[in-house]
Every structure is written in C-alpha cells, then in structure tokens.
C-alpha cells in the first residue's frame, strides 16, 4: 500500500452538472479530485477541486452530497465541492485504518478497514449519523469498493477480486487473483464501474502506480489500457449505484381490485348493454426502462364462438394496430409514450355477439415488448349464464276450477318477461282448465346472450284417484314421507291422523289415508306403513397385541336375523386375530343394517401422535387439541390431567399428551402462543341517496371465508341490498382482527321532483311503450368530469333509428334542479361551480317518430 496505506478513492456526485455518466473521477496524492476518460485510453487527468487534506476515499450519495473518509484519523466527512472544505460527521473508532467507501442506491455507505488482515466491513447511515460492523473480510482490503449489477465487489489486500456479502462479510466469495498484463511490483488498487448501455456495465481496475486496466468480473483477468503518471488514492463514476438493465413490467390491475393476483386482471362478462368487457383495470400500469415497442393482446383459451367472439380497441394514439378477430397487435409508430400504450390497454375490449353464448372462462394474454424484453399478464373473463327460467313444476285442476297463472307453479327464482309454448288461449301464462288442454307447457326466457326454459306439467281432473304408493315396511328409527300434493294451491287435505298438510312424515306403524278436495273434485287413497326395529353396534375400533385375538359381534344377536361378514362368515360373532376392517350386514325381513370395526395389530412401536405445529390463538378464543385416537382403545393422559381424546385450550403454554393401548405408547407436545388483536380499516364509502321504491347494494372488499361479516340487518353476506332509509352497520372479523363501519342511506320522492311537462306548448303524456317498437336509449351509471376528455359529460350514449330528440333533467339529493337541457349533456357543474361528488337523480323525455314519447328516470354517480 502506498502513501502510508492510503487507499484509492471513488468520487461520484449525481446532482452536479459538471460531470456526466461514464466519466471517472480520481483523488490523488496532491489532494486533488480530478476527471479522467478511460474510454479514450487516456491516463491524464483534469483537476476539478482541491480538498482541505488527503482523503483515503470519497463517494457520492443519492442525496446530492459527497462523503469522504480519512486513512489514519478514521473519520467520515461531508465534502464541499466548491471550496474543498470538510465537515466532520463521525469517527469509526473500532477501525485500524479506513481505506475504501462507496454508496448504494438506498443511501447507505459501505466502508472497509485497511492495513490489517482480516479487515472489517462497516455500513454508515448519513441520515442517523450511525454505523455498524458487518463482519470481517478474510483477505483484507487494499482500497476501493464498486457495485456491479447489484453486487458489491472489493479489491483485497492480497491482490484478489472479492464478491462481498453485504450482510456478513465473512461469507464473501473470492472470484480469483488479478492476472493478465500487470506491471511487475504493481497491484490492482481500486475498482470503478460505468454503464456502457442498458445491457452492459464495464468495471475498471486502477493500480497504486496510476495504471488503468479493464477487468473481467467473472474471472478477475485484467487488460492494461494506459500507464499513468500520478499516484492515485481513489476513483469512482456516476454509474456505480445506478441500475444497468433493460426492463419492462406489465400490470393489468395495479391495486388488484378485480381480485386477480400478481399482474393479472379478472372480470365477469356482462351481456347487456353492449356485450363486451375490458381486459385491464383503469389503473393498468406499464413500467419500462426505455419505451414500449409493441403490445400483443390475444384470446388464448376457452370455447370460442368463432367470429362472433373478438377483440376491439378504441384508443390507439401514436400506435399502429394489426387487427385479427381474436388477436390485436399495437406497434409504436416511433412517438408512442408509455401513457399511449396504457390508454391502448384501457380501451381494449373483449366482445361476444353470439347467441346463445358459450358459458365458461376466456383467457386473454397480454404481452408487452421493449428492447428485447417482454412481460406477460393475463385477463380472465368469466361468462356466466344468469338467465333463470326456474325449476320444473306440476299443477292439477278440476275442470270447474278458476284459471291460474302457470308462472306460480315454477320452482326456484324464474325471471319475469318470458313466453309460454305452446300458447295458451289467454296469450299469456294463465291456464284455463275449461278450455286449455292438459299437457306440458314450457316457459322460455332470454336476455339476448343466453336462453333458458322450464316446464310445468298440467293435469286436469274431474273425479279420480291418485296413488300414495304400495304398502311399505321400513326400519324403526327412520321416517317415511307420505305426499298427496296435487299441485293445486286451492286443494285441501284431510288425513286420517288429523293432519291437513299436503305431505306428512310418519314414524310409527299404521294405516294412513287422505282425502283431497279440489274444488268440486275429491280424491282419496290409503297406505299401510310397518316399522321394524333392531339395533346393530359393533363398538369402537380395537387394537390386538401380537399373538392375541378379539371377539367381535358378541352383542348383535337378533332373533330371526341373518348375518354376512366381509370374511364370508355367517355367524353373529367372530374372532379376529389379524388387523383390518371387519364389516357385517344384518338382515331382518326387508330391514337391513350394516356396521364395521377396525382391528389394528400392535407392533410394539411408539404410537404416532401429531398435535400439529406450534400455533397461536387470539385473546378470548380457544383451540381444540386432539390426539386423533379414541379413548376406548387408547388411554389418554394430557399435561393438564385430562384423560379425554381432546382438550380445549384458552391460554398460552406448552401442552402434551401420552397414549397407551396396553401394547404401545406414544407422546407429543405443542406450544400455544397468544397473538394480539388488531383493527381492520373497514370503509363502506360515502352515504347514498336513492329514489323511494328503488334498491341499492352496499358491499365490502373483505372477502369470505377469510373474513366473517355481520350486518345490522342480520345478514352475514359480503353484500346487502337495501331499499329503506337508515343507518347500516357492518362488523367484520378475521384472524385476531376486527373492524366496523356504518353508511347512511337516504330516500327522496322522485315522483314529486318538479319537471316542466310542457314543451313547445305541447302537454307531454308518456305512452305505453308496448304499443309500438322503439329503440332503447342507454344512459351511463357514472361519469368523471375531471377534464381528461374521458367520460366528462353525462347524457345518452347511443342514438338509433326513429329517435328524434330528448329533454334531460338532473336533480341533487335535495330536489334542486342542477341541469336542464334539450339534446344537451351535463358537464358536472351547478351555478357555475363544480358539483360535488354524489348520487344524482335524472329524468329524461325521449321523442320518437310518429309523435311517440317515452319517459325514463334513473341514478347517476358523479366522480372526480
């Protein structure tokens, strides 16, 4: 080591405009900090500043300051790069000498001790002005440190390249001894790294004689570039703690609000109003080192509906697109920004115009490309058939009965608005037994994407019998249902035991009869039910010691019964001397019962017991510990004195259990700790205003089964639907955590909102829209008037044939008219100011050809 062991110094200063990336700075024996340019194989230097004293090493920090260390004084300084003055910060008293230092991208400064083997590695934090030791470098330190692709390297005191373990220097790895064209008697003294391009960094080694070398970081082989003329103390470049990499990260749902994990996105397909779904969340993000070259979006899996299932894109600013039905590639025209590609993703839609649509899951793969790098995300689109025609039903009539609606005979939750086939004389679902024939009638519903049907089987009777079934013999302890339901809601039932329901449950032997009155019709039947009784119980599983046998079945003798064991034996009891499962079927008339028992053969080995891994419980909760064995075969003794098969634990501690079956023993122990209770930050959102008679949903983002839900309504679902005003409170709980929040729901009488129903001296009289065909005008449920030219206006989103014009009114929760316009949209202002974010009521009058007029009302949410 030269100059009393003073090390080579690295200098880096990010915020100073004097220096640019790839330049290297050195400190020398003359107290100078100079600039060199190795790229030109030039060992000469230009002085930048003269410091107050010799420094053993210097480094720049991400906070814009330069820091230095002294050799013998062992001090850390902050350097004034204009005057060269030094501000003393601290002294590392444990060190023998200080020889090298460099900062990382997080702001920590790594410092090596010198002039001693082994030498310590210290980490200094300028924010807290504190330091700590990270262990010893076995080969010592000759001087400088450098970062190369995220790893710290050191030039050792015995002329080796060392990859440093920054957490424990003792675990550092020697790459190899410096070899190659090195001047005799000289050695590599300092290391400095510059970025060549996004894929490549170059590390140089500087010797204590002032010569410059290029260094292979994988082999420690050096190649001399030039010969210097000044003794060096240190060197650094502005690239040392900067990243040297190309990268592209694609995230289709940054806050994971859709429920997908990682960079993926998931959404449920909505048939109406336009049969399309997004493939990325509004917060989709692309992080890239340079610029995005292209993005490929392709439907990769699912049962596709041919050309009716395709992708479409709405925004492609500065992006050229190559469109196929199920694949779209967007390519930068040379001017596309990351924001352009994010908008491209947000405007991409999955479309499905087939009828009916194939239910299932579609996967859309999104691949981004930049500088040869790529990243992939997946959008999962779930298509669920939510059209419900209900469950099949039956109904019986007498010819004199009044007409009835077959819809009421459907089970489940059928959708309204369907059609019946074959047609009834009522041209609706009303069945008239006097004129409509008995048979099967189908109820068919469709929403334009899916179709479903259910049937009602109709019988028409005058006077006839029906059948309760054949006389039956069953086992005692069972129950038998007698069902006389004829499917007619007006029917009455009179049973022989006094019951009046359509179906009864019988548990005792006897003859049961029923009379069914259906208007002027009356039907009757009877049945004899006989219960027989016997018990079958082989008992608990048993363990047989080596050389023994056990008698099983000795308590199941039943007069008149037959027996069949799985061993083939037909006696009531058998002896078992080998381990296995033994089962028997006992038959008594038509009643059969089976039971089985396990016979385990003991080996004398320890009984395997597993109480599970050590665990934690919440305050006030309990934990059930079970041995997994029954007490009839195994004697139990717990550490708390219990002899049961399981115990309930409510306090922390160490618990153990010992088992014995007369042949074998076994034991296990578990430690139970207490976990404190935490609070969940539950937020149900802002209060809500709706029209009287309407409903709204309130939901939480905390999902079951991880969290349990308890609403003030008594519901335990994640979402509730309410229509009445009031305060709705939700309490959720998880693993040692709870949270609660409340939301207020207000209602207003939308029918009393003042609306001018006279336009152009014409009285507006809404008509029955079923009397003519009209196209449906669609209104959004929310808009964001924030000036980004996306969803900034509220009004109709479509026009269609026959539609002429419209009048639009918007009211706030207090009934004030905040907007009125003819063929105009609301920009989200009221009295010249931005209207607050809230729920608003809208009322629209649509004018069609042939003097047809339709009125609509609904809710709109204003967001910013």
């Amino acid at each position: 080591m030269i100059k009393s062991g003073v090390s080579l110094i690295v200098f880096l200063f990010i915020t100073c405009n004097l220096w640019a990336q790839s330049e290297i700075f050195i400190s020398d024996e003359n107290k100078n900090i100079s600039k060199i340019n190795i790229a030109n194989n030039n060992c000469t230097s230009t002085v930048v500043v003269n410091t107050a004293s010799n420094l053993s090493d210097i480094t720049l920090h991400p906070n814009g300051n330069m820091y230095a260390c002294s050799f013998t004084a062992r001090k850390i300084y902050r350097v004034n790069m204009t005057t060269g003055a030094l501000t003393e910060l601290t002294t590392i008293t444990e060190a023998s000498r200080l020889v090298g230092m460099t900062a990382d991208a997080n702001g920590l400064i790594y410092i090596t001790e010198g002039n001693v083997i082994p030498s310590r590695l210290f980490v200094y934090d300028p924010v807290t002005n504190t330091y700590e030791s990270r262990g010893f470098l076995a080969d010592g330190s000759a001087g400088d440190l450098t970062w190369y692709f995220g790893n710290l390297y050191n030039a050792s005191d015995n002329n080796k390249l060392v990859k440093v373990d920054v957490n424990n220097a003792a675990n550092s790895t020697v790459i190899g001894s410096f070899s190659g064209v090195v001047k005799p008697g000289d050695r590599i003294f300092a290391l400095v790294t510059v970025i060549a391009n996004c894929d490549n960094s170059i590390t140089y080694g500087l010797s204590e004689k002032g010569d410059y070398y290029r260094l292979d970081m994988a082999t420690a082989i050096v190649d001399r570039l030039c010969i210097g003329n000044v003794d060096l103390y240190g060197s650094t470049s502005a690239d040392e703690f900067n990243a040297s990499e190309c990268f592209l990260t694609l995230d289709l749902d940054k806050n994971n609000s859709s429920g997908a994990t990682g960079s993926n996105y998931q959404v449920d397909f909505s048939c109406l109003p336009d049969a399309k779904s997004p493939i990325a969340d509004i917060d989709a993000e692309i992080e890239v080192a340079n610029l995005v070259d292209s993005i490929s979006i392709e439907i990769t899996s699912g049962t596709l509906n041919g050309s009716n299932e395709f992708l479409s894109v709405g925004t492609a600013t500065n992006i050229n697109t190559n469109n196929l039905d199920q694949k779209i590639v967007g390519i930068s025209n040379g001017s596309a920004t990351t924001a352009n590609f994010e908008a491209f993703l947000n405007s991409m839609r999955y479309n499905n115009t087939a009828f009916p649509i194939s239910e299932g899951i579609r996967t859309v793969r999104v691949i981004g490309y930049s500088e040869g790098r790529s990243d992939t995300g997946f959008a999962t689109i779930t298509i669920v058939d939510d059209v419900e025609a209900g469950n099949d039903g039956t109904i019986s009539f007498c010819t004199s009965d009044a007409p009835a609606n077959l819809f009421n005979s459907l089970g489940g939750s059928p959708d309204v608005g369907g059609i019946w086939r074959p047609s009834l004389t009522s041209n609706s679902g009303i069945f008239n037994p006097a004129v409509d024939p008995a048979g099967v009638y189908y109820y068919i519903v469709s929403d334009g994407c899916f179709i479903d049907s259910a049937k009602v089987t109709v019988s028409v009777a005058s006077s006839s019998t029906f059948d309760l079934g054949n006389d039956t013999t069953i086992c005692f302890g069972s129950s038998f249902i007698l069902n006389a339901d004829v499917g007619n809601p007006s029917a009455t039932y009179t049973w022989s035991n006094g019951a009046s329901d359509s179906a009864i449950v019988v548990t005792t032997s006897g003859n049961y009869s029923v009379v069914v009155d259906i208007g002027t019709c009356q039907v009757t039947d009877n049945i004899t039910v006989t219960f027989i009784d016997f018990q079958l119980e082989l008992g608990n599983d048993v363990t047989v010691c080596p050389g023994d046998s056990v008698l099983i079945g000795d308590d199941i003798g039943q007069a008149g019964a037959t027996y069949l064991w799985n061993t083939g034996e037909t006696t009531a009891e058998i002896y078992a001397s080998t381990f296995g499962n033994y089962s028997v079927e006992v038959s008594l008339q038509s009643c059969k019962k089976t039971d089985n028992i396990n016979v385990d053969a003991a080996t004398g080995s320890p009984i395997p017991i597993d109480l599970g891994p050590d665990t934690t419980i919440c305050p006030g909760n309990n934990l059930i510990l079970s041995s997994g064995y029954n007490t009839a075969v195994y004697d139990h003794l717990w550490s708390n004195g219990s002899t049961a098969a399981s115990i309930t634990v409510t306090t922390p501690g160490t618990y153990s259990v010992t088992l014995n079956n007369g042949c074998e023993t076994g034991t296990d122990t578990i430690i139970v700790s207490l976990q404190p209770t935490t609070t969940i930050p539950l937020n149900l959102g802002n209060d809500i205003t709706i029209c009287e008679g309407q409903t709204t949903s309130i939901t939480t983002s905390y999902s079951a089964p991880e969290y349990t839900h308890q609403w003030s309504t008594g519901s335990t679902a994640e979402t509730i639907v309410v229509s009445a005003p009031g305060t709705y409170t939700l309490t959720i709980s998880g693993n040692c955590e709870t949270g609660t929040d409340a939301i207020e729901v207000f209602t207003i009488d939308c029918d009393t909102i003042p609306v001018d129903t006279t336009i152009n001296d014409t009285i507006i009289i809404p008509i029955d829209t079923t009397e003519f065909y009209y196209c449906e005008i669609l209104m959004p449920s929310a808009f964001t008037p924030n000036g980004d030219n996306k969803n900034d206006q509220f009004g109709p989103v479509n026009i269609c044939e026959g539609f002429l014009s419209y009048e639009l009114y918007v009211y706030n929760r207090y009934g004030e008219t905040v907007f009125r316009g003819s063929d105009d949209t609301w920009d989200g202002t009221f009295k010249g100011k931005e209207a607050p974010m809230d729920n608003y009521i809208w009322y629209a009058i649509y004018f069609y050809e042939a003097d047809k007029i339709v009125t609509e009302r609904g809710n709109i949410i204003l967001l910013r």
Side-chain angles (χ1 to χ4, degrees), residues 90-363:
T90 190
T91 301
I92 301 181
T93 57
E94 294 92 332
S96 173
R97 299 286 191 274
L98 298 182
V99 294
M101 68 189 310
T102 189
D104 68 9
N106 296 318
L108 296 178
I109 299 176
Y110 292 80
I111 305 168
T112 55
E113 178 184 31
N115 206 32
V116 61
I117 296 178
S119 60
R120 276 171 288 199
L121 175 69
F122 296 94
V123 178
Y124 172 68
D125 187 347
V127 177
T128 61
N129 196 29
T130 59
Y131 64 88
E132 62 174 321
S133 172
R134 293 286 176 87
F136 288 87
L137 292 162
D139 293 289
S141 177
D144 203 3
L145 299 161
T146 192
W147 293 98
Y148 182 80
F149 283 98
N151 294 303
L152 184 64
Y153 291 84
N154 176 49
S156 76
D157 202 45
N158 53 12
N159 211 27
K160 295 178 181 178
L161 176 63
V162 178
K163 183 178 178 182
V164 180
D165 186 326
V166 297
N167 295 311
N168 184 358
N171 294 331
S172 299
T173 304
V174 175
I175 303 300
S177 297
F178 293 116
S179 60
V181 185
V182 180
K183 185 187 297 183
D186 202 359
R187 61 173 176 168
I188 301 299
F189 197 64
L191 307 175
V192 60
T193 301
V194 296
I195 297 174
N197 53 54
C198 126
D199 284 320
N200 188 27
S201 290
I202 302 173
T203 299
Y204 297 98
L206 284 67
S207 76
E208 57 185 330
K209 301 300 183 183
D211 295 348
Y212 303 158
Y213 299 84
R214 181 161 179 163
L215 175 59
D216 185 329
M217 296 298 285
T219 64
I221 297 175
V222 300
D223 181 26
R224 188 166 61 198
L225 303 176
C226 62
I227 300 174
N229 57 7
V230 63
D231 287 354
L232 303 180
Y233 286 177
S235 68
T236 190
S237 84
D239 295 341
E240 285 206 290
F241 54 71
N242 288 333
S244 176
E245 60 179 341
C246 297
F247 69 89
L248 171 70
T249 302
L250 180 70
D251 193 339
L252 301 181
D253 183 5
K254 185 171 180 60
N255 64 7
N256 294 331
S257 60
S258 71
T261 58
S263 61
N264 300 324
Y265 174 72
Q266 65 184 32
V267 66
D268 292 336
F269 179 79
S270 176
C271 174
L272 298 176
D274 50 6
K276 63 178 60 176
S277 295
I279 60 96
D281 197 27
I282 191 65
D283 66 347
E285 181 177 85
I286 304 172
E287 294 183 349
V288 65
N290 295 301
L291 291 175
V292 179
D293 296 330
S294 64
I295 287 185
S296 171
I297 301 99
E298 181 177 7
I299 305 174
T300 59
S301 67
T303 304
L304 307 184
N305 297 118
S307 61
N308 289 319
E309 195 162 355
F310 57 92
L311 296 172
S312 64
V313 63
T315 300
T317 304
N318 295 326
I319 298 173
N320 299 322
T321 60
N322 182 6
N323 294 20
L324 299 174
D325 281 346
Q326 291 156 6
K327 181 176 182 179
I328 293 180
V329 178
I331 305 171
S332 172
N333 66 357
S335 301
T337 65
T338 302
N340 292 149
F341 276 100
E342 289 175 342
F344 179 77
L345 281 179
N346 282 323
S347 66
M348 186 69 62
R349 294 292 182 268
Y350 162 83
N351 303 260
N352 197 328
T353 58
F355 180 80
I357 290 177
S358 298
E359 188 175 13
I361 294 177
R362 309 296 194 265
T363 300

Side-chain angles (χ1 to χ4, degrees), residues 456-517:
V456 175
T457 302
V458 182
S459 61
V460 179
S462 54
S463 60
S464 61
T465 61
F466 67 99
D467 191 6
L468 287 175
N470 297 324
D471 294 342
T472 301
T473 299
I474 59 176
C475 295
F476 182 81
S478 302
S479 61
F480 191 68
I481 298 176
L482 301 179
N483 191 351
D485 190 1
V486 295
N488 191 315
S490 63
T492 61
Y493 304 85
T494 304
W495 292 87
S496 55
N497 64 355
S500 58
D501 295 325
S502 60
I504 63 173
V505 177
V506 297
T507 58
T508 59
S509 300
N511 182 268
Y512 298 86
S513 62
V514 64
V515 176
V516 183
D517 289 292

Side-chain angles (χ1 to χ4, degrees), residues 497-560:
N497 64 355
S500 58
D501 295 325
S502 60
I504 63 173
V505 177
V506 297
T507 58
T508 59
S509 300
N511 182 268
Y512 298 86
S513 62
V514 64
V515 176
V516 183
D517 289 292
I518 314 172
T520 59
C521 301
Q522 187 178 82
V523 291
T524 184
D525 193 22
N526 69 88
I527 185 174
T528 298
V529 180
T530 303
F531 289 87
I532 60 176
D533 182 26
F534 69 91
Q535 301 297 319
L536 176 59
E537 177 61 56
L538 291 179
N540 297 319
D541 296 341
V542 295
T543 299
V544 179
C545 295
D548 289 345
S549 63
V550 63
L551 179 65
I552 56 177
D554 53 317
D555 292 328
I556 66 171
Q558 180 69 42

Side-chain angles (χ1 to χ4, degrees), residues 388-395 406-414 420-421 439-445 452-458 485 487:
E388 176 60 53
N391 300 326
D392 296 345
T394 60
I395 187 171
L406 297 184
F407 185 86
N408 297 329
S409 297
L410 293 170
S413 302
W420 288 90
R421 291 291 182 271
V440 177
Y441 291 84
Y442 292 89
Y443 180 66
I444 304 170
V445 292
D452 192 25
S453 66
K455 65 181 179 181
V456 175
T457 302
V458 182
D485 190 1

Side-chain angles (χ1 to χ4, degrees), residues 730-769:
L730 171 64
T731 299
I732 63 174
S733 59
N735 183 23
C736 298
E737 53 182 354
T738 61
T740 186
D741 192 25
I743 187 172
E744 188 79 15
V745 176
F746 303 92
T747 60
I748 60 175
D749 186 355
C750 296
D751 293 331
T752 63
I753 295 177
V755 175
D756 186 354
T757 55
T758 303
I759 298 178
N760 298 329
D761 297 324
T762 301
I763 302 300
I764 302 302
I765 303 177
I767 67 171
D768 183 359
T769 57

Side-chain angles (χ1 to χ4, degrees), residues 596-842:
N596 68 88
I597 185 173
N598 284 315
V599 177
D600 296 323
T603 63
S605 302
I607 301 171
I609 307 171
D610 186 9
L611 295 179
D614 294 344
T615 188
T616 59
I617 59 175
C618 304
N621 288 358
N622 56 49
L623 174 68
I624 297 177
L625 299 178
S626 176
S627 69
Y629 297 87
N630 68 62
T631 56
V633 179
Y634 297 91
D635 294 330
H636 290 62
L637 181 60
W638 292 86
S639 53
N640 65 356
S642 173
T643 58
S646 62
I647 62 172
T648 300
V649 173
T650 59
T651 58
T654 300
Y655 298 86
S656 64
V657 64
T658 300
L659 272 65
N660 188 307
N661 64 2
C663 300
E664 306 161 318
T665 62
T667 186
D668 193 26
T669 300
I670 185 173
I671 299 175
V672 179
S673 304
L674 187 67
Q675 180 177 331
T677 301
T678 58
T679 300
I680 300 172
L682 178 62
N683 185 358
L684 294 178
N686 298 326
D687 295 343
I688 301 173
T689 299
I690 59 175
C691 294
E692 291 180 354
Q694 288 187 340
T695 62
T696 187
S697 62
I698 309 172
T699 189
T700 171
S701 61
Y702 293 89
S703 303
E706 182 179 358
Y707 296 94
T708 59
H709 301 69
Q710 184 60 59
W711 293 88
S712 53
T713 62
S715 173
T716 57
E718 295 175 33
T719 301
I720 61 172
V721 177
V722 300
S723 59
T727 300
Y728 295 85
T729 303
L730 171 64
T731 299
I732 63 174
S733 59
N735 183 23
C736 298
E737 53 182 354
T738 61
T740 186
D741 192 25
I743 187 172
E744 188 79 15
V745 176
F746 303 92
T747 60
I748 60 175
D749 186 355
C750 296
D751 293 331
T752 63
I753 295 177
V755 175
D756 186 354
T757 55
T758 303
I759 298 178
N760 298 329
D761 297 324
T762 301
I763 302 300
I764 302 302
I765 303 177
I767 67 171
D768 183 359
T769 57
T770 61
E771 295 179 358
F772 74 102
Y773 171 83
Y774 74 102
C775 63
E776 182 181 9
I777 303 301
L778 304 177
M779 302 288 269
S781 59
F783 79 122
T784 57
N786 53 15
D788 63 354
N789 295 323
K790 299 177 183 177
N791 200 24
D792 281 342
Q793 301 287 328
F794 168 65
V797 298
N798 68 313
I799 59 175
C800 49
E801 183 178 356
F803 175 74
L804 300 177
S805 62
Y806 69 92
E807 288 280 328
L808 177 63
Y809 303 81
V810 182
Y811 307 92
N812 61 19
R813 67 169 66 226
Y814 307 107
E816 297 177 284
T817 303
V818 299
F819 174 79
R820 173 184 175 179
S822 298
D823 295 330
D824 196 5
T825 57
W826 183 35
D827 63 358
T829 61
F830 179 40
K831 295 182 179 180
K833 299 181 179 179
E834 291 185 348
M837 291 193 296
D838 205 341
N839 190 304
Y840 294 80
I841 309 298
W842 61 267

